[in-house]
Amino acid sequence: MLDNLNPPQLAAVTLDPTRHALVLAGAGSGKTRVLTTRMAWLIRNGMTSPHSLLAVTFTNKAARK
Ligand SMILES: Nc1ncnc2c1ncn2[C@@H]1O[C@H](COP(=O)(O)OP(=O)(O)O)[C@@H](O)[C@H]1O
Ligand SMILES: [Mg+2]
């Protein structure tokens, strides 16, 4: 699960579960991979329940012009 992450991604994914993080990086740089892998990592390690996670996403096409 963690094998294909670069060092900043790995740091964000494995951050202490009690800590908050802002993931700020350019388009296509791997932010979504960080978010989805962190959710999987937290669940896999029993640090949270899938029922206590919520992910919300949007696209620029959904934004008001
Ligand atoms: N560490 C990585 N190594 C190789 N490919 C990656 C890595 N992180 C992300 N990718 C790939 O790069 C593309 C963009 O990643 P994504 O997480 O969608 O970026 P963002 O959300 O920042 O736009 C996807 O195809 C993703 O699978
Ligand atoms: Mg994204």
Side-chain angles (χ1 to χ4, degrees):
M1 179 190 302
L2 304 177
D3 288 349
N4 296 316
L5 300 176
N6 64 34
Q9 287 177 314
L10 181 63
V13 166
T14 59
L15 185 71
D16 185 304
T18 62
R19 304 274 307 279
H20 295 183
L22 171 66
V23 178
L24 184 62
S29 60
K31 302 180 299 295
T32 295
R33 181 177 286 204
V34 165
L35 295 175
T36 54
T37 307
R38 180 157 174 82
M39 294 175 81
W41 183 81
L42 289 168
I43 294 166
R44 170 73 60 85
N45 290 290
M47 294 166 165
T48 193
S49 160
H51 303 293
S52 67
L53 285 173
L54 173 66
V56 180
T57 187
F58 68 94
T59 72
N60 57 1
K61 295 180 183 63
R64 190 189 302 267
K65 290 194 174 154

